[in-house]
Amino acid sequence: MSLTLADLNNKTRDEFVAALANNFEHSPWLAEHVALLRPFAGINALFAAMKAAVERAPAELRLALIKAHPDLADKTQRAAGLTAESDAEQNSAGLDRLSDAEYDEFERVNNAYRSKFGFPYVVCVRRHTRDSILRDFERRLPNDVPAEMLRSVEEICRIAALRLDQLVTAEDRLPVHGRLSTHVLDTHSGTPAAGIAIELIELSDLGLNRVVTRAVTNADGRTDQPLIGGRPVPSGKYELVFSVGDYFASRQVPLSDPPFLDRIPLRFAVSEPEGHLHVPLLVTPWSYATYRGS
Amino acid sequence: MSLTLADLNNKTRDEFVAALANNFEHSPWLAEHVALLRPFAGINALFAAMKAAVERAPAELRLALIKAHPDLADKTQRAAGLTAESDAEQNSAGLDRLSDAEYDEFERVNNAYRSKFGFPYVVCVRRHTRDSILRDFERRLPNDVPAEMLRSVEEICRIAALRLDQLVTAEDRLPVHGRLSTHVLDTHSGTPAAGIAIELIELSDLGLNRVVTRAVTNADGRTDQPLIGGRPVPSGKYELVFSVGDYFASRQVPLSDPPFLDRIPLRFAVSEPEGHLHVPLLVTPWSYATYRGS
Amino acid sequence: MSLTLADLNNKTRDEFVAALANNFEHSPWLAEHVALLRPFAGINALFAAMKAAVERAPAELRLALIKAHPDLADKTQRAAGLTAESDAEQNSAGLDRLSDAEYDEFERVNNAYRSKFGFPYVVCVRRHTRDSILRDFERRLPNDVPAEMLRSVEEICRIAALRLDQLVTAEDRLPVHGRLSTHVLDTHSGTPAAGIAIELIELSDLGLNRVVTRAVTNADGRTDQPLIGGRPVPSGKYELVFSVGDYFASRQVPLSDPPFLDRIPLRFAVSEPEGHLHVPLLVTPWSYATYRGS
Amino acid sequence: MSLTLADLNNKTRDEFVAALANNFEHSPWLAEHVALLRPFAGINALFAAMKAAVERAPAELRLALIKAHPDLADKTQRAAGLTAESDAEQNSAGLDRLSDAEYDEFERVNNAYRSKFGFPYVVCVRRHTRDSILRDFERRLPNDVPAEMLRSVEEICRIAALRLDQLVTAEDRLPVHGRLSTHVLDTHSGTPAAGIAIELIELSDLGLNRVVTRAVTNADGRTDQPLIGGRPVPSGKYELVFSVGDYFASRQVPLSDPPFLDRIPLRFAVSEPEGHLHVPLLVTPWSYATYRGS
């Protein structure tokens, strides 16, 4: 159940701290700090205050904040219990459904990172696929401790912004939502293509591919909802598959047997989780085109 | 080693029959029949004579010809020995490398067909992928015996034409060669795309996908040889994968990270094994298009 | 100055009739008729009442209504004075700026029609270009009198709907507005193309082409306003010209000299004046594509 | 009537000089010079010898060679008589069919150039359209005398290469031929588009546009001959117009009325007269695409 910003502004100090206690993992002191700065005119103002408090905190506190985070995909810690927030975030990237090989890979990452830096590897999981987490890790491991402390705090703030966005509704929005959408134009008949089954698959170099969502195009050739929306679009590789063979067959368009084009895959990468990415398909039974739209 | 048509015209009757004994499986009587009609002006004339002899033969002989063919992918028969021709043909479709599940499926097909018709299921394997053989079978099983005798003879003639094409060179060609080709246009720079790695994969609903060939585009954006040429293009589903991410990166074109487009798959079906199918790619780092060309 | 529907509902009968007197050309009797049916819940209800009144009127009244309309592009009648509505409508299609040859052509049309049917050729000019008016005339001239009476009344109702739409604002809208829009995607850089100068030209087989509007694409690659909107898109042939040479040159993209593509024309026809027609351009310095979107 | 290189090698010295007297305008001394170097192994060797002779000639001779050329489009000189070669070349760019405004423009150019440099403006007309000649002039006028002497000799050698190519056949070819070709793919039916009427128009900023050639696509969607071939493709702006409306109508494809696409113009520039430029059209009744191919 969602709180409003007005609710937060009007709560007692203790209620306010309780509500935001885990906005930064196991760190109610941040909520205590900003409780005094109420009322906030908007959710961006509230978040900016929390972010400023983190960035101005003494190094020991920032280190403690980093250390308050669990390891990624760590079975022992999960068995012992995570915050509800951490649990949901890790599940969002499928970290609760890893193959044994993947678990081993994440364990390797966690250990390598922790043994070098003395604190856990923290990343805003909701902005990533499993593959891009491992890619992020490979890039960050060569850094030095100060660089990784800065980077960890940055990731913690991203985590906090997403938690706040889910917890509190306000008139303004935090800029944490990306969007992935598509559009199918039937250039054989010159109309939007309605009734095309679409599958969005997250591709993995590491383990198995995973269907993210399925949809069917509406009368405007679009999906009623964005393929991904209201949240970041996790960095990574995807495939959109369009069942155009069935579509043209159902319209009695003459086709070869088997149809030249049946299930068309568009394979692309997402690099800006908060961006708006539009991947349309222009299609006849004998040709197609796509492009990065916006 | 290839014979010329002139060689064949000049051989003794016995030599001629020996050379063509297995052009129709285990059926030297056909070679005997046409030996008398020499000399042939061309390979098409020779083939037409053999085909006419089959079609005019009494039903018992035609039935014997059909029965002279081995079952597809039958381990026992293969262990006992096939004609060299049958062996090579079955290997061309990978029938010597089936998974256990696939062997079981082919055994089911053979048994179902043989028990209904009383003769083996004959198909010109070189014109098919494993999937399309099973599809062909499903379509033919509901037929009646006379229809399947006609159809089997048709397939036998296709097999014979391909064997003759491989055995004999002449000034004319039998119309048994298809072609699959591609072309990559870099519409970012307005030039043919040279140095793009391409993989042609045969897709299977049944078992594993299989790399048919790998190539790299030349200065004209084409491959030096057709992806498939000098033989039928087996009916079935394929994927062409173009490594465009590496190409644009090597040209210092600004890309997102990871690149929006990296390995582009074009998935399509072949329905005319003797046709010329051209599947080009028009590509920038942010868009691409393809179409069935000729 | 625009009236609201509420104003119309609240006026005295005489004021109401005065306001709508020329909604049907020189025919206040229609306004008188519907005045009694007030209040109207919406503008569609008001229009439906007027349309029903026309359609149920005796044949003599309908004939008088048709005859109340002026000839198209008739210099004598224009000199003598048209209703303000007719005047503006004829000007919208450029009928006040015809060449001598065009005047002659329209005079021929008017005379031919009037001499066959005994009443003027009536067409809803705002839905047409000059060329499509002449095309419409050629199609209608072979009709018989009853067919043309029906058709004239249909055109008169279209004229009236547009007049009513311009005169009265209400919460609902009459379905008389089409839209022509465009969008330029720079597939060289993978972004919307901002700052591209666009010209929309009405093409004429008969006389001179005419620039309808000029615009420059915004940051989203679109124009701030539709190229045509808030009114029917006149049937006819158009050319959209995009100055892509200047655009790519200003972005320091390497080009040939002169640039391979400079001013790209897209030539297309509008056949549904009330439809939404979207004509996008996907462009690099070396390639482009367009399609009918919606 | 074409000479062979063997003929030239075997002629007497006087015959040889007579044959090549005007290969460099009014300058038989060049032919005399290279006559001694016979036999030539190929036409490229012959041309290289003549070019070397020009480049090594004393400045006075080179100046005389430049001055031996007529002004472009000069009525008085044309009335007095040009070499047959100059006459044909000037006609190729339509310099014998200029409007009065164009004559005035060329006269201005000639006079401005001659008064600055003291010799006529020389350009290889066959590589240019009228517009690109004027553009070339504007670029060269700011040069100094030595630069323009070099440039004039370069143009004279281009003229000579084209004259030699027309006069003499050999086993090798001079690299003076460009090519402009097209190809129409009907992506509505997945086949080459046969029977499409095509018009190639040379566009002029200065005067009137000019139809260069008309053709109809064959069964392969191509034209039997290149649109321009066997000669340089003159630098300049062109429009290719494809009558796709008639094509789709004749195939009973459902179209809007008037058809959304009827006569599609592709407007592009040629910048490399000796290059191979391929401008294909991929088209449905509702979409099309083009790109610079090769």
Side-chain angles (χ1 to χ4, degrees), chain D residues 131-240:
Chain D
D131 280 34
S132 75
I133 290 171
L134 294 173
R135 211 155 151 265
D136 176 72
F137 162 77
E138 297 292 352
R139 295 192 172 181
R140 286 167 57 183
L141 192 60
N143 289 345
D144 60 15
V145 170
E148 272 307 297
M149 279 201 59
L150 274 175
R151 179 61 192 273
S152 298
V153 167
E154 194 184 318
E155 292 292 321
I156 287 168
C157 287
R158 284 173 164 160
I159 294 168
L162 282 165
R163 290 180 180 181
L164 194 62
D165 172 70
Q166 290 199 309
L167 185 68
V168 179
T169 57
E171 290 195 8
D172 59 336
R173 306 285 315 246
L174 288 166
V176 294
H177 292 184
R179 188 176 64 211
L180 174 64
S181 59
T182 189
H183 190 188
V184 190
L185 266 297
D186 170 354
T187 49
H188 183 269
S189 70
T191 57
I196 295 219
I198 298 177
E199 223 173 56
L200 175 67
I201 299 166
E202 180 191 315
L203 302 180
S204 173
D205 293 334
L206 183 74
L208 288 180
N209 300 335
R210 190 163 73 99
V211 175
V212 178
T213 190
R214 290 190 175 87
V216 173
T217 54
N218 58 26
D220 194 31
R222 302 176 191 272
T223 57
D224 288 338
Q225 304 298 325
L227 296 167
I228 296 179
R231 60 175 176 102
V233 183
S235 267
K237 297 182 183 173
Y238 294 87
E239 192 169 282
L240 263 173

Side-chain angles (χ1 to χ4, degrees), chain C residues 36-245:
Chain C
L36 307 172
L37 305 173
R38 292 182 295 168
F40 292 102
I43 194 168
N44 280 284
L46 166 56
F47 178 69
M50 294 202 289
K51 189 162 183 243
V54 173
E55 288 169 352
R56 288 179 208 142
E60 315 85 71
L61 261 182
R62 274 184 285 123
L63 185 59
L65 175 58
I66 297 170
K67 289 187 170 174
H69 285 75
D71 282 343
L72 286 183
D74 184 285
K75 287 175 175 176
T76 318
Q77 292 183 11
R78 296 196 73 137
L82 303 179
T83 60
E85 290 85 350
S86 276
D87 193 51
E89 285 155 8
Q90 297 208 8
N91 295 356
S92 78
L95 301 188
D96 56 335
R97 302 182 294 280
L98 299 178
S99 67
D100 285 349
E102 289 173 323
Y103 268 122
D104 291 349
E105 182 63 8
F106 274 92
E107 192 174 10
R108 183 184 68 78
V109 163
N110 286 328
N111 292 346
Y113 190 95
R114 191 182 275 278
S115 78
K116 171 163 181 185
F117 296 106
F119 48 82
Y121 167 61
V122 179
V123 67
C124 178
V125 166
R126 286 196 190 272
R127 302 176 73 249
H128 286 276
T129 56
R130 283 167 289 178
D131 280 34
S132 76
I133 290 171
L134 295 173
R135 213 156 150 264
D136 177 71
F137 162 77
E138 298 291 352
R139 295 192 172 181
R140 286 167 56 184
L141 193 60
N143 290 345
D144 60 15
V145 170
E148 272 307 297
M149 279 200 59
L150 274 176
R151 178 62 192 272
S152 298
V153 167
E154 195 184 318
E155 293 292 322
I156 287 168
C157 287
R158 283 171 165 162
I159 295 168
L162 282 165
R163 289 180 180 180
L164 194 61
D165 172 70
Q166 290 200 309
L167 185 67
V168 179
T169 58
E171 292 197 5
D172 60 334
R173 307 283 316 243
L174 289 166
V176 294
H177 292 184
R179 189 176 63 211
L180 174 63
S181 59
T182 190
H183 190 188
V184 190
L185 266 296
D186 170 355
T187 48
H188 182 269
S189 69
T191 58
I196 294 219
I198 297 178
E199 222 172 55
L200 175 66
I201 299 166
E202 180 191 316
L203 303 181
S204 174
D205 293 335
L206 184 73
L208 289 179
N209 300 336
R210 190 165 73 98
V211 175
V212 178
T213 190
R214 291 190 174 87
V216 173
T217 54
N218 59 24
D220 196 30
R222 302 178 192 272
T223 57
D224 288 338
Q225 305 298 325
L227 297 167
I228 295 179
R231 61 176 175 100
V233 183
S235 266
K237 296 182 185 174
Y238 294 87
E239 193 169 282
L240 263 173
V241 183
F242 300 80
S243 295
V244 304

Side-chain angles (χ1 to χ4, degrees), chain A residues 1-284:
Chain A
M1 203 194 64
S2 198
L3 283 170
T4 66
L5 182 66
D7 294 338
L8 275 186
N9 278 331
N10 294 329
K11 279 183 189 297
T12 66
R13 183 180 171 286
D14 286 357
E15 287 168 346
F16 178 85
V17 170
L20 297 187
N22 276 327
N23 200 259
F24 286 79
E25 187 88 358
H26 294 307
S27 303
W29 60 269
L30 269 155
E32 286 163 21
H33 186 89
V34 300
L36 307 172
L37 305 173
R38 292 181 297 167
F40 292 102
I43 194 168
N44 280 284
L46 167 57
F47 177 71
M50 294 200 291
K51 190 164 184 237
V54 173
E55 288 169 352
R56 287 178 208 144
E60 314 85 72
L61 263 182
R62 273 184 285 123
L63 185 59
L65 175 59
I66 297 171
K67 289 186 172 175
H69 285 76
D71 282 344
L72 286 184
D74 183 284
K75 287 176 177 175
T76 319
Q77 292 183 12
R78 297 198 73 140
L82 303 178
T83 59
E85 290 84 350
S86 276
D87 193 52
E89 285 155 9
Q90 297 207 8
N91 296 355
S92 78
L95 301 188
D96 56 336
R97 300 182 297 278
L98 298 179
S99 67
D100 286 349
E102 289 172 324
Y103 268 121
D104 292 348
E105 182 63 9
F106 275 93
E107 192 175 9
R108 185 183 67 76
V109 162
N110 286 327
N111 292 345
Y113 190 95
R114 191 182 275 277
S115 77
K116 170 162 183 186
F117 296 108
F119 49 79
Y121 166 60
V122 179
V123 66
C124 179
V125 167
R126 285 194 191 275
R127 301 177 73 248
H128 287 276
T129 56
R130 283 167 290 176
D131 280 35
S132 76
I133 290 171
L134 294 173
R135 211 156 152 264
D136 176 72
F137 162 77
E138 298 291 352
R139 295 193 170 179
R140 285 167 56 184
L141 193 61
N143 288 347
D144 60 16
V145 170
E148 271 308 296
M149 280 201 58
L150 274 175
R151 179 59 192 273
S152 298
V153 167
E154 195 184 317
E155 292 292 322
I156 287 169
C157 287
R158 283 172 166 162
I159 295 168
L162 282 166
R163 290 180 180 181
L164 194 62
D165 173 69
Q166 290 199 309
L167 186 68
V168 179
T169 56
E171 290 195 8
D172 59 336
R173 307 283 318 244
L174 288 167
V176 294
H177 292 185
R179 190 176 62 211
L180 173 63
S181 59
T182 189
H183 190 188
V184 190
L185 267 297
D186 170 355
T187 48
H188 183 269
S189 69
T191 58
I196 295 219
I198 297 178
E199 223 173 54
L200 176 66
I201 299 166
E202 180 192 315
L203 302 181
S204 174
D205 293 335
L206 183 73
L208 289 178
N209 300 336
R210 192 164 71 98
V211 174
V212 178
T213 191
R214 291 192 174 85
V216 173
T217 54
N218 58 25
D220 195 30
R222 304 177 190 270
T223 57
D224 288 338
Q225 304 298 326
L227 297 167
I228 295 180
R231 60 176 176 101
V233 183
S235 267
K237 296 182 185 174
Y238 295 88
E239 192 168 284
L240 264 173
V241 182
F242 300 80
S243 294
V244 304
D246 290 347
Y247 167 79
F248 285 117
S250 75
R251 294 172 61 95
Q252 273 81 47
V253 174
L255 302 174
S256 59
D257 178 23
F260 179 60
L261 300 175
D262 186 7
R263 288 170 47 84
I264 294 179
L266 302 183
R267 206 171 283 167
F268 59 91
V270 169
S271 54
E272 298 172 12
E274 289 78 24
H276 290 185
L277 179 59
H278 185 62
V279 183
L281 179 71
L282 314 176
V283 67
T284 79

Side-chain angles (χ1 to χ4, degrees), chain C residues 261-279:
Chain C
L261 300 175
D262 186 8
R263 288 170 47 86
I264 294 179
L266 302 184
R267 207 172 283 167
F268 59 92
V270 169
S271 54
E272 299 173 10
E274 288 79 23
H276 289 185
L277 180 59
H278 184 62
V279 183

Side-chain angles (χ1 to χ4, degrees), chain C residues 135 139 237 239 256-263 265-269 271 277 286-292, chain D residues 135 139 237 239 256-263 265-269 271 277 286-292:
Chain C
R135 213 156 150 264
R139 295 192 172 181
K237 296 182 185 174
E239 193 169 282
S256 59
D257 178 22
F260 178 61
L261 300 175
D262 186 8
R263 288 170 47 86
L266 302 184
R267 207 172 283 167
F268 59 92
S271 54
L277 180 59
W286 314 102
S287 65
Y288 65 93
T290 190
Y291 56 92
R292 185 176 81 158
Chain D
R135 211 155 151 265
R139 295 192 172 181
K237 297 182 183 173
E239 192 169 282
S256 60
D257 179 23
F260 178 62
L261 300 175
D262 186 8
R263 288 170 47 84
L266 302 183
R267 208 172 282 166
F268 59 91
S271 55
L277 180 59
W286 314 103
S287 65
Y288 64 93
T290 190
Y291 56 91
R292 185 176 81 159

